[in-house]
């Protein structure tokens, strides 16, 4: 069992951490407990959110037997000694370093503060080699590398302390400048019968590719000596990369056609998210019909594209329900089950409101707001009803984000390579032109050429490998079926069973003890 003990008195941190572990290790292996005495089975992994000093009384005895401990958040001297570190409160220099200016057009902006990962051990397992505390590729909204903001302070998304290792190794070090280390914020202590992994941030790396550190610690670390528990991969078995691409049609629909023809010509599905208070001209409806026939998918993008889905649960439900009805009345045989959130804004009332309107999930995730929904792995949405899912797709392919120099799409190449190394389902987006706004593209010809170059790069990067390119609905169906999958580990046999081998017709994969295996082999 993976037991989560929450001491934070923070409902958001509790929900975010619980769902993150469930998305990777499935609800069959994860339990939220008030105390370890409530565990019905021996504990293999114990996660403590915001540990208190008195928790040392029960953590210390656990370390005398095979167990893995994950500590999340600021820690006092007694807990720090168990983690093998001494901690100091971060000073104002680090707080200043966390600041990040909005990204200029055709440029990017990164904070001076970064977490730099070790080149060996668990640190080497992070596809992110350095994680800026904050970075933008477009104004102060988009981080095309897909991870969230880390502040300096006492909230769940920040770090308040850094450590000096005493009897632990550094996994991630906070630096506030090129030659200005501020201390370790992720450490690992290996004991004869146990290992202790500490993250200074109360929610850990739930919102970035560095979540791989958690998966590898639980599933692989010291496999010959300590308990290991399997996790579900974010992509289907047998492929090295999985992708989906969409256009968010905020102000026009028919102008999607040049990109649609590019992708269709390459045998790749294009998806669209439609804001429905647009004229339903013959050209718009023809594009939707052609895209649907070609194997693309059509999602809701609300009716009016209002901030925060209209500002209330009632408004969000109405926007979702009316948008769904508009689309289904205009595309023969269409059933709309998924949405793309306007501005990627998702207050916690959104999942339940969309579920009441007949949806099964939404696409969100952005550094600018609602950090609960910027998720390293797709699946169950925090604060959502059972079966309701989300998938973070924070990579926006825009002319505004092309960079100066010989390789204007180098950030997109980095984003794809990072997702591939993480085994993450990679989603990217663009917007069709409108009379008002061209999203930084010089022309439609220019835009199509950049998309073609990115597709060429992906093909070259994955040459000789199995790659999956699907529409948004298939991606989200996979996430939804994956979230309903249960891994049941039997400690007496040191074996596990997976409740299903496929999700939405795609084979599931599990990671365990350094191997990637078909879930169907563990029925």
């Amino acid at each position: 069992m993976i037991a989560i003990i929450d001491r934070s008195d923070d409902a958001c941190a509790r929900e975010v951490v619980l769902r993150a572990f469930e998305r990777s290790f499935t609800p069959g292996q994860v339990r939220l407990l008030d105390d370890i005495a409530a565990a019905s089975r021996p504990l293999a992994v114990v996660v403590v959110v915001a540990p208190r000093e008195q928790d040392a009384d029960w953590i210390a005895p656990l370390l005398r037997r095979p167990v893995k401990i994950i500590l999340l958040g600021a820690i006092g001297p007694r807990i720090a000694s168990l983690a093998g570190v001494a901690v100091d409160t971060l000073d104002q220099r680090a707080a200043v370093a966390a600041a990040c200016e909005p990204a200029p057009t055709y440029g990017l902006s990164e904070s001076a503060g970064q977490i730099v990962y070790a080149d060996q051990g668990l640190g080497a397992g992070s596809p992110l080699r350095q994680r800026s505390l904050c970075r933008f590729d477009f104004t102060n909204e988009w981080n095309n590398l897909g991870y969230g903001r880390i502040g300096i302070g006492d909230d769940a998304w920040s770090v308040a302390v850094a450590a000096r290792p005493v009897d632990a190794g550094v996994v991630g070090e906070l630096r506030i400048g090129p030659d200005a280390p501020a201390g370790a914020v992720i450490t690992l202590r290996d004991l004869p019968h146990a290992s202790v992994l500490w993250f200074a941030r109360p929610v850990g790396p739930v919102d970035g590719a560095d979540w791989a550190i958690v998966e590898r610690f639980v599933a692989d670390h010291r496999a010959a000596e300590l308990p290991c528990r399997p996790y579900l991969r974010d992509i289907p078995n047998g492929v090295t990369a999985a992708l989906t691409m969409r256009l968010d049609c905020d102000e026009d629909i028919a102008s999607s056609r040049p990109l649609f023809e590019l992708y269709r010509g390459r045998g790749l599905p294009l998806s669209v998210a439609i804001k429905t208070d647009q004229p339903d001209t013959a050209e718009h409806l023809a594009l939707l019909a052609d895209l649907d026939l070609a194997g693309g998918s059509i999602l809701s993008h609300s009716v009016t594209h209002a901030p925060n889905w209209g500002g209330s649960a009632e408004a969000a439900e109405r926007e979702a329900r009316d948008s769904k009805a508009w689309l289904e009345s205009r595309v023969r045989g269409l059933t709309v089950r998924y949405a793309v959130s306007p501005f990627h804004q998702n207050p916690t009332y959104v999942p339940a409101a969309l579920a009441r309107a007949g949806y099964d999930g939404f696409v969100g995730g952005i550094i600018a707001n609602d950090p609960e929904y910027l998720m390293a792995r797709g699946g169950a949405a925090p604060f959502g009803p059972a079966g309701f899912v989300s998938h973070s797709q924070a990579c926006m392919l825009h002319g505004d984000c092309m960079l100066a120099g010989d390789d204007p799409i180098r950030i997109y190449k980095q984003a794809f390579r990072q997702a591939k190394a993480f085994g993450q389902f990679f989603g990217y987006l663009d917007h069709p032109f409108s009379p008002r706004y061209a999203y930084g593209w010089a022309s439609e010809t220019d835009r199509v050429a950049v998309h073609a170059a990115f597709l060429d790069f992906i093909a070259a990067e994955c040459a000789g490998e199995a790659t999956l390119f699907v529409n948004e609905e298939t991606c989200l169906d996979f996430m939804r079926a994956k979230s309903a999958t249960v891994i049941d580990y039997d400690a007496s046999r040191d074996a596990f069973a997976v409740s299903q081998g496929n999700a939405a017709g795609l084979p599931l994969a599990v990671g365990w003890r350094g191997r990637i295996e078909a879930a169907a082999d563990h029925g």
Side-chain angles (χ1 to χ4, degrees):
M1 177 190 292
I2 301 171
I4 299 177
I5 312 291
D6 175 51
R7 306 300 197 201
S8 67
D9 297 322
D10 183 334
C12 180
R14 181 184 311 114
E15 176 75 1
V16 165
V17 171
L18 173 63
R19 300 305 170 206
F21 275 88
E22 288 182 342
R23 287 191 295 270
S24 289
F25 300 98
T26 85
Q29 299 189 97
V30 180
R31 295 290 183 276
L32 180 63
L33 303 177
D34 293 328
D35 190 271
I36 60 167
S40 60
R41 289 182 273 178
L43 298 177
V45 181
V46 179
V47 182
V48 190
V49 183
R52 300 170 183 170
E53 283 288 81
Q54 57 266 38
D55 289 325
D57 294 338
W58 60 266
I59 293 175
L62 284 181
L63 300 180
R64 301 188 191 111
R65 63 174 182 79
V67 71
K68 294 176 179 176
I69 306 288
I70 301 176
L71 304 172
L72 300 175
I75 50 179
R78 292 184 66 199
I79 299 294
S81 68
L82 298 179
V85 301
V87 294
D88 297 311
T89 301
L90 287 167
D91 63 25
Q92 190 60 31
R93 293 178 306 146
V96 171
C100 183
E101 295 296 324
T105 303
Y106 313 122
L108 60 88
S109 175
E110 294 181 303
S111 61
Q114 289 185 328
I115 296 173
V116 179
Y117 287 99
D119 291 330
Q120 65 282 329
L122 281 179
S126 172
L128 277 173
R129 304 312 306 139
Q130 53 273 327
R131 173 173 172 160
S132 298
L133 298 183
C134 184
R135 77 175 300 280
F136 300 122
D137 292 282
F138 177 70
T139 67
N140 59 352
E141 296 180 25
W142 292 87
N143 173 11
N144 286 330
L145 297 182
Y147 56 81
R149 188 192 311 245
I150 298 177
I152 305 295
D154 295 323
D155 66 275
W157 303 95
S158 300
V159 294
V161 299
R164 291 171 284 114
V166 176
D167 187 23
V170 175
V171 177
E173 179 184 53
L174 176 63
R175 297 181 187 172
I176 58 174
D179 300 305
V185 289
I186 309 167
T187 62
L188 173 67
R189 185 189 189 195
D190 283 322
L191 295 162
H193 301 294
S195 290
V196 181
L197 179 64
W198 170 64
F199 292 87
R201 193 183 190 214
V203 297
V206 298
D207 54 352
D210 37 351
W211 178 252
I213 292 171
V214 173
E215 291 179 337
R216 295 188 181 193
F217 177 71
V218 174
D220 305 335
H221 184 61
R222 296 177 67 185
E225 310 153 60
L226 297 183
C228 292
R229 295 296 180 263
Y231 66 94
L232 282 180
R233 294 198 85 202
D234 201 51
I235 62 176
N237 189 54
V239 301
T240 59
L243 308 89
T244 186
M245 192 274 166
R246 75 174 198 273
L247 292 173
D248 289 351
C249 301
D250 298 351
E251 301 183 24
D252 201 342
I253 299 172
S255 68
S256 302
R257 187 164 290 279
L259 276 181
F260 165 62
E261 298 296 351
L262 168 69
Y263 281 78
R264 181 166 65 170
R266 296 191 178 211
L268 303 175
L270 186 72
S271 301
V272 291
I274 305 297
K275 180 175 77 78
T276 58
D277 69 345
Q278 301 185 52
D280 50 354
T281 65
E283 293 81 6
H284 290 341
L285 298 182
L287 185 281
L288 293 179
D290 289 350
L291 182 141
D292 185 54
L293 185 64
S297 59
I298 299 170
L299 290 75
S300 165
H301 202 32
S302 80
V303 177
T304 66
H305 206 279
N308 295 310
W309 280 93
S312 69
E314 294 75 19
E317 183 177 349
R318 183 172 57 253
E319 286 265 345
R321 194 180 299 277
D322 291 351
S323 173
K324 175 180 169 71
W326 190 97
L327 290 166
E328 292 177 351
S329 70
R330 285 161 174 80
V331 180
R332 184 185 301 274
L334 179 66
T335 300
V336 174
R337 297 189 295 114
Y338 298 109
V340 174
S341 292
F343 306 108
H344 280 214
Q345 292 175 341
N346 303 290
T348 55
Y349 56 73
V350 167
L354 267 59
R356 290 193 299 272
Y359 290 75
D360 292 327
F362 66 88
V363 174
I366 193 171
I367 192 173
N369 47 260
D370 307 311
E372 300 91 335
Y373 300 106
L374 185 48
M375 310 184 319
R377 298 303 194 193
F383 301 102
F388 191 90
V389 299
S390 184
H391 189 236
S392 295
Q393 299 178 13
C395 189
M396 184 173 69
L397 184 55
H398 268 190
D400 290 313
C401 303
M402 297 296 104
L403 298 176
D406 295 335
D407 191 2
I409 62 171
R410 58 186 180 272
I411 290 298
Y412 300 101
K413 294 178 179 179
Q414 182 180 345
F416 176 75
R417 287 176 173 141
Q418 174 185 293
K420 183 177 179 226
F422 188 29
Q424 183 181 48
F425 220 117
F426 180 64
Y428 66 104
L429 70 137
D430 197 353
H431 291 73
F433 284 10
S434 75
R436 185 186 66 87
Y437 192 28
Y439 300 93
W441 295 109
S443 66
E444 191 67 72
T445 300
D446 177 52
R447 184 239 288 275
V448 169
V450 169
H451 275 259
F454 189 46
L455 292 174
D456 290 343
F457 159 76
I458 292 169
E461 193 75 6
C462 300
E465 302 172 348
T467 305
L468 179 70
F469 200 122
V470 299
N471 65 35
E472 285 282 10
E473 186 168 355
T474 298
C475 171
L476 290 164
D477 281 348
F478 177 76
M479 296 301 162
R480 187 164 184 260
K482 180 167 71 78
S483 73
T485 305
V486 172
I487 296 175
D488 184 15
Y489 187 87
D490 185 345
S492 67
R493 297 188 303 114
D494 190 28
F496 62 92
V498 186
S499 62
Q500 58 182 359
N502 292 276
L506 297 169
L508 286 165
V510 291
W512 189 48
R513 292 180 173 166
R515 304 186 301 272
I516 302 298
E517 303 172 340
D521 293 338
H522 298 271

